[in-house]
Every structure is written in structure tokens, then in C-alpha cells.
């Protein structure tokens, strides 16, 4: 695969504009490093009539790569806007058109007019031109893709504002982008149905996707969700962890203190862990894609027990929510063969790379347990209603 400049670099998926290729006198324009045919996947086939017999979308690797391409398109939509490129000269359309999808909506931050998300719909007309009479099995009707942080002057301050929001509070609900994303996914669910909608995000965008997906799941609305390099570090979580350790230490000290009236040491009745009350309904199971060399997302792979890796092609394995329930609440896919340096390990390009090797980690993940525990502490009934922000 042709190599392009790294797209990510900092606390939540950072993209900066590469230096433009220089032209010699009388020479043809050099290709842009973010052109699809330069840095896109090399062996990812476009849909064709054969998908009517055996759909490529049923392959988890194919779906991962296409969703990553859609997210890349959102990065480039914003760069196209900044550099005043239109639909004919822009870089972004080349990242969704090969897969027979069309852009039907962009999500714009009202604070700086930057594009942070986009909705793509199956393009029936484009598919018919290639004799694809029906949408392939497993292909979503619509995909909502969310980008991470762009280190460009027009958008950097609003992006970093949300980065710091997550870093401080481990929550993005106060952001206008959270509200905009939730409203967009509600509209998609109302139009296409939750089973036909897919949500994807990278880095900061993955943080928004996770929290919006949780908000929907709490109401019984389950949408397929793919989270690439989701942020896993926050000051709030560090303080909570410190408090938990301090509390545990204090309980050990109390256990050695004499009780009143007896002069003997009484054993401490440890706090009984309440296992998750998993409702007997369909559960929301997001897909998390993590590179252990990326310190922003690697804590999702920090187990409370022994981790077991399985081959990604089997589709088995996942992250158990805690206790002894054995219920899988997330699919955690870890890059076993890929970039090791931080900038590349946090990049989006690795997830559409042809030679990427992933393993499904099966473990008691502390962070995922905390992130998703609230979904299963009370019975959740399926619903088709929209969720209010």
C-alpha cells in the first residue's frame, strides 16, 4: 500500500494539512498524498454484481475498512472546505463513491462552521449502473461518520475544546457536537430503522460515537457502532481511580483496628460487587479498534483478568462486562501487527491497511466495564423512538 503522511498526532486524532506537491514547468500535477488511489486501500474491491451472491459486507474486515474510509472522507470534507475545493476538485468524494454511497448531509459545528461529521446513504442509482440491483446483505442503508481533531487554524480551538472537555470530565455531553450527532442519528433511525444504520468515529469522533451510542442504547435503540482509537485517558478517571485505591487502603487499615467493646479485630465485610443485571433483550455491542502502542486508547485493553486473543476472522470473543455473567458487551479488536510509533499507532490509515492483523481480545476490561455498566443495571426494552439530547 502506498504510504501517506500520518493523519493523526495528538490527544484525540489530530490531522494537519500536508505540504502541497510542487509542480515542475510543463509537468502534470502531482497526485495529492490524500488521494484515494495514493493512500487508500489497495485490495479493497468496490461492490459489484457478485455481492448479490456473496456479500463482501458480511466480512468484518471489509466492513472495518470501508467505515474507516468514510471517516477519512469526513476529515477531507473539512480540509476541502478550508482549502475551497468543490465536489469536482475535492479529495473527499473519492473516499465514498467507490463503495456506492452518496453524501446526504454534513454535520457542522455552529461555533466555527467546521465539518465534524457526515451522513452517507446507499446510492441506488450508482449501484444500478454497475448492475447491482439490490443493496448487498450486511451493507447499511446509511452511515454516520465522525472525525477526530484537526490541527489546522480554522478548527483547532473548537476541536481542542472538546478534547479538554473529555480529558477533564470523561464526558462530551456538553458539546454542541454531541447534540448535533444525537439529532442526526435520531433522524437516521426514524428514516431507515436502527437495524439499517451504522455509526463510526475515530479518536475524538469515536468518543462522541460511544457516548451517543450509549444514549441510544439506554432507550433500547441499538445501532451498529465502530470506534477507532477511542480516547481512554481522562483526569476525571485518574482521580476516581486514585479515590478507589485510597478507599481500598482505608478498608485494609480498618480491618486491623479493634472494634468497640470487644478489643478484637473484626474482619471487614468487603463491598459485595453487584453483577450486571443483563436484560433478556438484544444488547448493544460496539466494536472498538485499539493499538496498544497508542497511549490514548490502549487502556481499553487493560484487563482485570487474563486476556485471551482469538482470530478476528472467527467473529468470536469480546469483552466481558464483569462479575460472572459471561455476557459480551463489546468487541475489542487489537492490532497485533501494525504501526508501533505513536503517531502512526493513533492514525486512521492503519485500519484500512491491507496487511493489518487484528485479534479479538477476550478479557475483563476494567474501562469497558465502567463505560458500559450503566446500560445493564436496569432492564432496557427495545424501542423505535428517538432519543432527546
Amino acid at each position: 500500500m502506498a504510504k501517506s503522511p500520518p493523519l493523526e498526532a495528538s490527544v484525540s486524532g489530530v490531522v494537519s494539512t500536508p505540504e502541497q506537491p510542487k509542480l515542475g514547468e510543463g509537468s502534470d500535477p502531482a497526485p495529492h498524498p490524500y488521494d484515494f488511489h495514493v493512500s487508500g486501500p489497495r485490495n479493497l474491491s468496490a461492490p459489484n454484481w457478485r455481492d448479490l451472491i456473496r456479500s463482501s459486507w458480511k466480512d468484518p474486515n471489509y466492513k472495518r475498512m470501508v467505515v474507516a474510509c468514510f471517516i477519512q472522507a469526513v476529515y477531507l470534507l473539512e480540509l476541502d472546505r478550508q482549502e475551497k475545493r468543490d465536489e469536482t476538485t475535492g479529495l473527499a468524494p473519492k473516499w465514498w463513491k467507490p463503495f456506492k454511497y452518496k453524501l446526504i448531509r454534513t454535520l457542522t459545528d455552529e461555533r466555527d462552521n467546521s465539518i465534524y461529521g457526515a451522513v452517507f446513504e446507499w446510492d441506488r442509482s450508482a449501484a444500478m449502473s454497475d448492475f447491482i440491483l439490490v443493496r448487498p446483505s450486511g451493507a447499511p442503508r446509511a452511515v454516520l461518520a465522525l472525525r477526530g481533531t484537526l490541527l489546522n487554524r480554522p478548527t483547532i480551538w473548537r476541536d481542542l475544546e472538546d478534547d479538554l472537555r473529555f480529558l477533564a470530565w470523561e464526558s462530551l455531553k456538553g458539546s454542541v457536537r454531541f447534540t448535533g450527532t444525537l439529532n442526526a442519528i435520531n433522524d437516521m433511525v426514524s428514516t431507515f430503522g436502527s437495524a439499517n444504520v451504522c455509526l463510526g468515529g475515530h479518536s475524538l469522533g469515536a468518543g462522541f460515537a460511544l457516548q451517543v451510542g450509549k444514549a441510544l442504547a439506554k432507550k433500547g435503540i441499538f445501532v451498529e457502532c465502530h470506534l477507532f482509537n477511542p480516547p481512554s485517558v481522562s483526569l476525571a478517571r485518574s482521580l476516581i481511580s486514585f479515590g478507589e485505591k485510597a478507599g481500598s487502603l482505608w478498608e485494609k487499615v480498618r480491618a486491623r483496628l479493634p472494634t468497640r467493646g470487644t478489643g478484637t479485630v473484626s474482619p471487614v465485610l468487603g463491598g459485595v460487587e453487584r453483577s450486571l443485571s443483563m436484560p433478556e433483550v438484544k444488547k448493544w455491542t460496539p466494536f472498538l479498534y485499539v493499538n496498544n502502542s497508542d497511549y490514548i486508547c490502549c487502556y481499553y485493553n487493560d484487563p482485570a483478568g487474563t486476556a485471551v486473543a482469538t482470530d478476528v476472522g472467527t467473529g468470536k470473543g469480546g469483552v466481558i462486562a464483569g462479575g460472572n455473567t459471561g455476557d459480551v458487551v463489546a468487541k475489542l479488536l487489537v492490532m497485533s501487527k501494525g504501526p508501533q510509533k505513536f503517531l502512526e499507532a493513533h492514525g486512521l490509515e492503519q485500519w484500512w491497511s491491507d496487511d493489518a492483523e487484528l485479534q479479538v481480545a477476550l478479557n475483563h476490561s476494567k474501562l469497558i466495564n465502567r463505560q458500559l455498566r450503566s446500560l445493564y443495571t436496569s432492564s432496557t426494552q427495545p424501542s423505535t423512538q428517538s432519543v432527546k439530547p
Side-chain angles (χ1 to χ4, degrees):
M1 187 180 77
K3 196 67 176 176
S4 69
L7 286 184
E8 309 306 314
S10 178
V11 69
S12 248
V14 177
V15 179
S16 58
T17 305
E19 184 179 353
Q20 297 297 317
K22 296 182 179 179
L23 304 181
E25 185 177 352
S27 63
D28 294 331
H32 195 284
Y34 293 162
D35 271 337
F36 182 80
H37 72 277
V38 174
S39 60
R42 298 275 68 82
N43 299 317
L44 192 61
S45 62
N48 54 58
W49 62 269
R50 294 182 181 85
D51 283 288
L52 300 178
I53 302 173
R54 183 175 182 179
S55 175
S56 300
W57 279 93
K58 289 189 174 182
D59 180 354
N61 289 316
Y62 181 89
K63 181 174 290 188
R64 162 181 55 82
M65 296 168 78
V66 175
V67 173
C69 288
F70 287 163
I71 299 171
Q72 172 74 348
V74 180
Y75 279 111
L76 294 175
L77 277 169
E78 173 55 20
L79 290 179
D80 285 345
R81 183 191 72 87
Q82 292 180 16
E83 298 172 12
K84 296 179 172 53
R85 289 188 288 262
D86 57 25
E87 184 176 355
T88 58
T89 60
L91 300 169
K94 300 173 185 177
W95 288 81
W96 69 73
K97 287 185 176 181
F99 308 109
K100 310 307 178 187
Y101 280 79
K102 59 184 177 181
L103 176 69
I104 62 171
R105 179 178 178 181
T106 56
L107 277 59
T108 304
D109 191 321
E110 61 188 23
R111 299 169 297 180
D112 60 3
N113 295 320
S114 63
I115 297 172
Y116 64 89
V119 179
F120 304 97
E121 182 186 356
W122 174 256
D123 191 344
R124 188 169 181 270
S125 298
M128 290 286 288
S129 65
D130 284 343
F131 306 102
I132 306 173
L133 304 181
V134 296
R135 179 167 47 93
S137 176
R141 283 279 305 278
V143 179
L144 172 56
L146 303 168
R147 67 167 175 85
T149 302
L150 272 167
L151 283 184
N152 283 37
R153 186 177 297 276
T155 186
I156 182 174
W157 299 116
R158 297 307 182 188
D159 288 354
L160 291 180
E161 180 179 325
D162 285 329
D163 289 332
L164 295 175
R165 186 191 305 274
F166 182 88
L167 183 63
W169 305 110
E170 201 175 16
S171 174
L172 295 165
K173 291 185 177 180
S175 171
V176 297
R177 296 184 183 183
F178 177 88
T179 303
T181 302
L182 187 56
N183 289 337
I185 200 74
N186 275 327
D187 292 343
M188 294 168 65
V189 169
S190 298
T191 303
F192 305 109
S194 59
N196 297 313
V197 170
C198 178
L199 177 62
H202 175 241
S203 197
L204 177 62
F208 279 111
L210 175 61
Q211 296 192 12
V212 167
K214 286 173 59 178
L216 293 172
K218 287 180 180 179
K219 300 296 183 180
I221 302 173
F222 304 97
V223 297
E224 184 176 343
C225 190
H226 296 264
L227 311 170
F228 300 91
N229 300 89
S232 64
V233 291
S234 74
L235 181 61
R237 177 52 54 196
S238 298
L239 293 175
I240 291 173
S241 298
F242 177 78
E244 290 174 348
K245 293 178 181 178
S248 176
L249 179 60
W250 172 239
E251 290 297 331
K252 292 179 180 180
V253 172
R254 286 182 58 191
R256 288 166 174 77
L257 296 176
T259 58
R260 290 182 180 179
T262 62
T264 60
V265 177
S266 64
V268 173
L269 295 177
V272 178
E273 290 188 4
R274 182 178 62 179
S275 61
L276 303 186
S277 177
M278 299 288 186
E280 295 300 321
V281 295
K282 180 182 176 183
K283 302 177 182 67
W284 184 58
T285 309
F287 293 80
L288 283 76
Y289 303 90
V290 171
N291 187 319
N292 284 334
S293 297
D294 172 18
Y295 62 79
I296 292 175
C297 71
C298 65
Y299 293 101
Y300 275 108
N301 198 32
D302 181 26
T306 302
V308 179
T310 61
D311 182 74
V312 68
T314 65
K316 299 179 180 180
V319 180
I320 298 177
N324 296 315
T325 63
D327 289 280
V328 174
V329 298
K331 286 291 184 88
L332 180 63
L333 295 104
V334 182
M335 182 70 70
S336 59
K337 180 184 177 183
Q340 302 298 315
K341 295 181 180 180
F342 167 69
L343 295 184
E344 290 80 12
H346 190 61
L348 182 59
E349 182 178 353
Q350 63 185 311
W351 303 113
W352 69 68
S353 174
D354 299 318
D355 57 356
E357 292 185 8
L358 307 181
Q359 290 181 322
V360 181
L362 177 61
N363 58 50
H364 297 270
S365 172
K366 296 179 182 178
L367 182 56
I368 295 179
N369 184 20
R370 286 195 298 261
Q371 290 277 11
L372 300 178
R373 180 188 293 126
S374 60
L375 296 179
Y376 306 109
T377 54
S378 60
S379 181
T380 304
Q381 298 299 325
S383 171
T384 58
Q385 298 178 353
S386 299
V387 180
K388 295 181 180 181

